[in-house]
Amino acid sequence: MSVPATTVTPPLVDELDIVIPTIRNLDFLEQWRAFFQPYHLIIVQDGDPTKTIRVPEGFDYELYNRNDINRILGPKASCISFKDSACRCFGFLVSKKKYIFTIDDDCFVAKDPSGQEINALAQHIHNLLTPSTPFFFNTLYDPYREGADFVRGYPFSLREGVTTAISHGLWLNIPDYDAPTQLVKPLERNSRYVDAVLTIPKGTLFPMCGMNLGFHRELIGPAMYFGLMGDGQPIGRYDDMWAGWCAKVICDHLGLGVKTGLPYIWHSKASNPFVNLKKEYKGIYWQEDIIPFFQNVVLPKECTTPQKCYVELSKLVKEKLSPIDPYFEKLAGEMVIWIDAWNELNPDGTDAASVKKAEVVAPKKK
């Protein structure tokens, strides 16, 4: 008597969107097919909106270009960057799912030291569905992993942990370096696989990379604005770091957790360090003031939602950072516009999936 095969439903298949910014055909999805195909993709096409982007057969997706962004957001479209991977946050805006995983199109499936392919999405989901411990550091890394626990001396009152809002993954092969480091280490490749996940402590900032990132959209989505970068702006390649700094101080304020470590992806393409330096040089200079600013941010207790926190943060950006450069006054204004757009497309107390349905339908859908 034969036993019928059972199909295992992937985790969060109806609760998670995969957001991909791109300017090219998405052939890289073929390598991810076994892991991504059950999920819905939101593709944000940057650059020329008349260019046709090819998506491999069999994927469920929406594809938005700049014309769609302008149509859906109208005047508020000014907050979405152009010719920069920061355009990905438009996908965060129009998603109606609880969780987001975002990945760049030059990232491929990595292998662990045993040669097993790494399901990066499954590891991000695991990170997001297990608590974080931002208030007391556990020296045995993530105590919620199999085979680990809280070490001696860890307060029992803190062992319940807090909800994880952000899961930050890492990269094998091409490290995520800035242009000066690329220039002095042009041949360096990361082959070190560290089998660890840890919580970034409260009060500690980190440089967030957007190429391998998961987050709880309902809890921290409004803070995951990748800023105003790229075309027409004096800075680029700081979009994900800006979102990370903003989101981290808001997570700290709201009592949410941020994890970093596993999963790894294979980052295949080293970008041109001279092009990167042109984009980064003001950011490299400005960050010496930006980081102390975020280290000293105190949000009022009345800020009980990520939207309220982000609007308050925009006021502080305008007050404290605009003396450095007028760009920050413009950025602060777009931060408010971003929240206005978020609230318009994601109103509280209604069926979010049906709101603005006519306007937020992509013209190209599989």
Side-chain angles (χ1 to χ4, degrees):
M1 179 179 177
S2 62
V3 179
T6 57
T7 301
V8 177
T9 303
L12 302 182
V13 70
D14 296 320
E15 298 181 79
L16 181 144
D17 280 332
I18 299 173
V19 175
I20 305 168
T22 192
I23 58 171
R24 59 181 63 86
N25 293 334
L26 294 182
D27 299 326
F28 92 113
L29 286 172
E30 289 292 357
Q31 195 179 115
W32 288 101
R33 185 179 291 276
F35 303 132
F36 289 1
Q37 192 163 352
Y39 294 86
H40 181 67
L41 312 182
I42 299 178
I43 301 163
V44 184
Q45 178 182 343
D46 199 11
D48 182 2
T50 66
K51 181 179 177 181
T52 300
I53 297 292
R54 192 184 73 82
V55 181
E57 291 293 326
F59 286 93
D60 173 53
Y61 69 91
E62 302 166 64
L63 194 156
Y64 297 90
N65 61 33
R66 192 70 201 188
N67 292 338
D68 302 316
I69 294 171
N70 292 337
R71 172 178 57 83
I72 291 164
L73 295 184
K76 295 185 180 71
S78 63
C79 71
I80 305 298
S81 298
F82 188 58
K83 294 186 179 178
D84 192 277
S85 64
C87 68
R88 82 178 74 224
C89 61
F90 179 77
F92 310 160
L93 191 67
V94 297
S95 170
K96 300 305 175 189
K97 302 290 178 62
K98 189 174 183 178
Y99 300 95
I100 293 287
F101 170 58
T102 185
I103 186 170
D104 285 0
D105 61 11
D106 62 349
C107 296
F108 295 88
V109 178
K111 293 183 179 180
D112 66 21
S114 72
Q116 184 76 23
E117 288 192 335
I118 298 167
N119 185 345
L121 179 54
Q123 179 66 51
H124 277 296
I125 290 171
H126 177 77
N127 291 349
L128 290 167
L129 294 182
T130 53
S132 293
T133 54
F135 306 124
F136 202 89
F137 190 81
N138 191 58
T139 52
L140 197 56
Y141 310 116
D142 188 345
Y144 303 100
R145 289 189 70 187
E146 186 177 352
D149 210 325
F150 293 95
V151 297
R152 180 170 57 90
Y154 200 101
F156 283 87
S157 60
L158 296 177
R159 294 190 181 194
E160 185 177 348
V162 302
T163 302
T164 301
I166 299 173
S167 171
H168 180 256
L170 300 176
W171 344 268
L172 293 174
N173 196 36
I174 306 294
D176 186 29
Y177 284 159
D178 54 35
T181 309
Q182 281 184 294
L183 286 166
V184 298
K185 296 182 175 182
L187 301 179
E188 182 165 308
R189 299 294 181 265
N190 180 36
S191 60
R192 187 181 181 209
Y193 179 97
V194 180
D195 185 16
V197 177
L198 37 88
T199 297
I200 300 174
K202 180 180 180 180
T204 301
L205 297 172
F206 74 112
M208 189 174 81
C209 174
M211 75 172 81
N212 176 23
L213 181 70
F215 63 92
H216 194 309
R217 181 180 175 276
E218 291 183 354
L219 291 181
I220 202 63
M224 297 297 279
Y225 174 50
F226 277 48
L228 196 61
M229 307 278 165
D231 193 51
Q233 309 306 327
I235 183 175
R237 285 176 54 84
Y238 270 80
D239 51 318
D240 42 8
M241 286 181 282
W242 179 263
W245 295 328
C246 292
K248 183 58 165 65
V249 298
I250 291 174
C251 282
D252 287 351
H253 176 76
L254 296 177
L256 301 171
V258 180
K259 290 184 178 182
T260 188
L262 300 181
Y264 284 92
I265 50 84
W266 182 269
H267 185 208
S268 68
K269 187 178 66 177
S271 51
N272 186 305
F274 295 100
V275 173
N276 290 346
L277 184 60
K278 186 176 180 181
K279 296 176 180 179
E280 290 175 357
Y281 80 96
K282 285 194 174 181
I284 292 169
Y285 177 67
W286 289 341
Q287 71 185 11
E288 302 307 318
D289 292 306
I290 295 172
I291 291 172
F293 160 76
F294 279 107
Q295 288 174 326
N296 291 287
V297 162
V298 177
L299 297 171
K301 62 181 180 179
E302 294 77 23
C303 293
T304 54
T305 67
Q307 289 95 322
K308 291 178 181 178
C309 290
Y310 205 71
V311 170
E312 184 65 27
L313 191 55
S314 73
K315 296 175 184 176
L316 295 172
V317 168
K318 182 177 181 180
E319 177 188 349
K320 302 292 186 180
L321 295 182
S322 59
I324 298 172
D325 192 274
Y327 163 76
F328 289 100
E329 183 168 0
K330 183 177 182 181
L331 175 58
E334 298 298 337
M335 291 169 71
V336 175
I337 292 172
W338 161 261
I339 292 298
D340 287 344
W342 187 279
N343 289 337
E344 181 180 353
L345 297 183
N346 301 276
D348 294 331
T350 61
D351 178 8
S354 64
V355 173
K356 292 281 178 182
K357 188 173 182 180
E359 293 89 345
V360 188
V361 82
K364 296 166 277 295
K365 193 168 184 177
K366 285 280 185 180

